[in-house]
Amino acid sequence: MKYFFLSYLFVIAIVVSAFGFRGSKSELPPLEVIPDMDHQAKVKYQVGTEFFADGRGARLPVKGTLPMGFEIPAVAAVDAVGPKAKPARVAFTSGLGYYDTGKVGDFYGDGLPEEITSDPSVFNAEFIKRGEQRYNINCAICHGTSGNGKGVTSKYGILTAFNFQQPGNLDAANAAAYRADGAIFDVITNGKGLMGSYGGNITLRDRWAIVAYIRSLQIAAQESKVTLPLQ
């Protein structure tokens, strides 16, 4: 029994001498049995490095680089409000008009804003095509490619997305099925229910392009249900 306690004390002494007491300080690097890839040959964010001549760790993007899917706005966002504003050419703003909010006063507006319809370089077939592209990227996963609310997420019971193809979807008097253009724009911008906000991801023009594309889906579905009379 005596030798057992002596051995036990000997092991404790070895452990303490090797690892130290809890909370003790040492100038030596800690012993990591499983490092878990904590130490890698990489440049960390906001940290300088001697590897590059300018001493910067993070590299500056190549001059003229743009995020994919975005364009350089011709007008700064700060200049997008006022009588001389040109919001149709601004990617993101915090303006108060229909183009920026989807609302006219306290009510949702209907129809595309003048900034879209009055600009022939924007409102054309390419505009609808752009809406289709943005819709398929951001919306189809929940609302479905046809807008019927049966996207991929519905197969897993994650959420129930709004069905833009339910009967009465083009009848403004049908409150259950119809959504005004401004209301759709507002939900894209600010989110609703389980749907998060896409205002920081999708530009103003692209949000209206999505609205226009949703309308084209509804019109196409309605026209496909119309049967021609027999001759």
Side-chain angles (χ1 to χ4, degrees):
M1 197 66 170
K2 177 177 66 174
Y3 295 105
F4 171 78
F5 284 110
L6 289 175
S7 300
Y8 187 71
L9 293 174
F10 181 70
V11 170
I12 293 176
I14 292 176
V15 171
V16 171
S17 61
F19 297 99
F21 291 102
R22 180 178 178 84
S24 62
K25 298 180 180 180
S26 173
E27 295 181 357
L28 299 175
L31 178 63
E32 296 179 272
V33 180
I34 304 176
D36 291 327
M37 299 180 69
D38 289 336
H39 305 288
Q40 303 177 40
K42 65 179 182 180
V43 177
K44 296 184 178 181
Y45 55 90
Q46 297 184 357
V47 175
T49 176
E50 296 179 357
F51 183 82
F52 298 107
D54 60 2
R56 291 174 178 266
R59 309 312 300 149
L60 295 174
V62 177
K63 186 177 181 180
T65 300
L66 290 175
M68 292 182 64
F70 289 89
E71 303 172 0
I72 298 178
V75 180
V78 70
D79 299 324
V81 181
K84 296 183 179 180
K86 297 180 179 179
R89 303 177 66 189
V90 181
F92 299 93
T93 77
S94 56
L96 303 177
Y98 179 46
Y99 178 79
D100 297 89
T101 64
K103 294 181 179 180
V104 179
D106 295 329
F107 300 93
Y108 290 121
D110 227 341
L112 295 176
E114 183 181 358
E115 291 84 354
I116 297 293
T117 57
S118 63
D119 189 346
S121 67
V122 174
F123 189 59
N124 50 31
E126 289 299 320
F127 181 69
I128 303 297
K129 192 70 177 176
R130 176 72 176 183
E132 177 184 12
Q133 181 195 57
R134 297 293 99 183
Y135 176 90
N136 288 333
I137 291 173
N138 298 283
C139 316
I141 188 172
C142 295
H143 292 280
T145 54
S146 67
N148 63 356
K150 296 181 180 179
V152 174
T153 55
S154 66
K155 298 179 180 179
Y156 299 93
I158 298 176
L159 56 85
T160 301
F162 184 77
N163 176 11
F164 290 103
Q165 298 293 8
Q166 55 188 304
N169 59 73
L170 291 174
D171 181 6
N174 190 328
Y178 182 79
R179 293 294 182 272
D181 294 336
I184 299 173
F185 177 89
D186 179 66
V187 172
I188 296 173
T189 304
N190 301 306
K192 184 177 182 180
L194 294 177
M195 175 179 165
S197 166
Y198 283 78
N201 305 80
I202 306 176
T203 64
L204 288 170
R205 189 185 70 178
D206 285 348
R207 283 174 243 168
W208 284 114
I210 291 174
V211 173
Y213 178 66
I214 290 174
R215 285 288 184 248
S216 70
L217 287 176
Q218 294 173 327
I219 294 171
Q222 187 179 71
E223 290 178 349
S224 67
K225 295 177 182 178
V226 176
T227 56
L228 296 175
L230 297 176
Q231 298 296 330

